[in-house]
Amino acid sequence: MTPSPRTSTLLAAATALALGLSSLAHAQQAPTVATPAATATALPEGVLRRDLARGVYEARYSQAANALFVASSEAAPDTKGGVIYRLDPLTLETRGQTHTDLRNFAIATDAKGETLYVTNSVERGLTAIDAVSGEVKGRLRFEDKASDGTYYGPRQVILDEASGTLYVGGVGAPGLIWVVDAATLTLRATIGDAGKWVTGLLLDPAAGRLYAANGDGEVLVIDTTTHAIQHRWTPGDGKEYLLLNLAHDPATHRLFVTDHSKGATVLVFDTRTGKVERSLPVGDSMGIALHPARKALYVTHRDQGTVSELDADSYAVRRTWTLPPNPNSLEIAPDGKALYVTVKAPFNKDYTASALESVVRIPLE
């Protein structure tokens, strides 16, 4: 069943807020949009930036396909469906496209990068795509409704390869997490009472834990065997937080969580105690990725229009890249030699993208 215009609009708004993406407060009338660039623009220090499409969300590297896959909702007027772009990981040139009947948002892959698992947030779907052939292998449509009667929008998806399980966060109130069989795309279980909007997800396979961030300022600790919520960690300072994305350093028992609300920080939780040991004064924070070999923490700052590299031990800022208008998600290449960034543009009033959105490659050698 196709969502009504009202449902689609509400889902788009809720998804935008939960993702911490292009500002609704600065929504504008639709301007003239340039034609996508065929090649990337060279920036200082070997950085490449490619204006790709309207509606760019997450990027994932597939070793099996030797490609960077980018999910796009094709957020343009009178456009139905989305595209999965296959980019050359060195040049960002397009090597292929998979046109999908639903709009695409988040991506997860298996360890070899053979299968892409893509969320279709507005149309409440989860789609499996063969990374090599581009063929759609299967789909699941979620039927759960939030307390206001609207359908939940699937946001982030993460794969527990050992158990063949996909976890998908649902945007709505109260939030939920779907537990899905990765081979058959059938629903195994639903984890409810997950707070307002489930935003970020992160697995700790060694501890048998799933961490989930939410709009109530909580980090949920979930047992991956029983799917029971074991703990609800909060910053504990009485401030308002909308927690978004997570990164984990198991060697030092640190969980990094971004906030893009009044807190405007990166919180550092001790996973042994659930207590916040540091709040990093880096400003509004959204995407986050840890590079253990470089002892580096990468953070996107939407409002600042920048990406920062922090020393993962001292938290000192090593480098800052200016990538306006709204840096969004991060992906580190498997060999650790490149960082990929998606860059959003503000929404128009109808939730289409006001400009072409970009993919950036930052060399880390």
Side-chain angles (χ1 to χ4, degrees):
M1 182 173 62
T2 302
S4 67
R6 175 180 179 274
T7 299
S8 296
T9 300
L10 288 172
L11 275 172
T15 302
L17 179 58
L19 287 169
L21 299 176
S22 310
S23 174
L24 298 177
H26 298 92
Q28 52 195 275
Q29 296 291 349
T32 301
V33 178
T35 302
T39 59
T41 299
L43 302 177
E45 300 180 352
V47 175
L48 295 177
R49 177 167 181 165
R50 167 102 185 272
D51 291 338
L52 183 64
R54 296 167 70 176
V56 169
Y57 281 87
E58 287 194 347
R60 289 291 178 266
Y61 195 110
S62 165
Q63 291 179 293
N66 188 30
L68 183 72
F69 287 93
V70 181
S72 171
S73 66
E74 298 300 292
D78 302 318
T79 300
K80 178 177 173 56
V83 177
I84 301 294
Y85 291 92
R86 180 197 297 251
L87 304 185
D88 184 297
L90 295 177
T91 67
L92 302 184
E93 294 180 1
T94 299
R95 298 302 186 205
Q97 300 178 24
T98 298
H99 292 263
T100 58
D101 57 325
L102 304 183
R103 287 164 282 186
N104 307 301
F105 290 82
I107 308 182
T109 68
D110 55 7
K112 295 181 179 179
E114 295 175 344
T115 301
L116 309 177
Y117 300 98
V118 182
T119 59
N120 316 109
S121 296
V122 174
E123 292 105 344
R124 64 185 194 282
L126 173 67
T127 303
I129 299 172
D130 187 295
V132 178
S133 69
E135 294 183 2
V136 172
K137 299 168 65 176
R139 174 172 292 155
L140 173 63
R141 297 292 281 267
F142 300 105
E143 299 298 332
D144 300 87
K145 291 185 179 181
S147 58
D148 63 358
T150 60
Y151 288 102
Y152 284 93
R155 193 245 183 192
Q156 191 169 13
V157 56
I158 191 167
L159 173 64
D160 182 353
E161 195 148 16
S163 65
T165 304
L166 292 162
Y167 295 96
V168 184
V171 175
L176 55 75
I177 300 168
W178 293 289
V179 183
V180 178
D181 186 297
T184 63
L185 290 194
T186 54
L187 188 64
R188 290 179 177 172
T190 301
I191 303 169
D193 192 26
K196 181 176 65 175
W197 308 314
V198 174
T199 51
L201 298 172
L202 185 143
L203 275 170
D204 181 358
R209 284 177 167 182
L210 171 71
Y211 295 108
N214 67 32
D216 282 330
E218 298 176 320
V219 174
L220 308 182
V221 183
I222 300 166
D223 186 299
T224 55
T225 300
T226 65
H227 301 137
I229 298 175
Q230 297 178 314
H231 306 285
R232 293 176 180 268
W233 296 341
T234 65
D237 56 8
K239 296 180 181 178
E240 181 180 334
Y241 291 90
L242 195 167
L243 302 182
L244 289 173
N245 297 300
L246 311 99
H248 183 218
D249 185 359
T252 60
H253 310 287
R254 291 179 297 170
L255 183 70
F256 304 96
V257 189
T258 61
D259 174 82
H260 191 268
S261 61
K262 295 179 181 179
T265 186
V266 174
L267 299 171
V268 186
F269 284 85
D270 186 323
T271 58
R272 296 166 295 187
T273 65
K275 303 296 183 183
V276 173
E277 62 178 36
R278 292 285 293 272
S279 178
L280 308 184
V282 293
D284 65 281
S285 301
M286 187 165 31
I288 190 164
L290 177 69
H291 194 312
R294 293 179 59 84
K295 293 187 176 181
L297 195 64
Y298 298 97
V299 183
T300 59
H301 309 284
R302 186 197 72 183
D303 292 347
Q304 299 172 57
T306 60
V307 176
S308 59
E309 179 188 74
L310 281 64
D311 185 294
D313 292 331
S314 69
Y315 304 125
V317 177
R318 293 175 178 170
R319 291 189 288 179
T320 300
W321 296 274
T322 301
L323 298 172
N326 303 134
N328 181 38
S329 68
L330 297 169
E331 171 76 346
I332 296 174
D335 62 7
K337 295 181 180 180
L339 175 70
Y340 300 98
V341 187
T342 61
V343 182
K344 299 289 295 174
F347 283 127
N348 296 315
K349 290 182 178 180
D350 61 356
Y351 299 104
T352 57
S354 61
L356 287 174
E357 297 173 331
S358 307
V359 179
V360 176
R361 183 185 187 275
I362 299 173
L364 299 178
E365 299 177 87

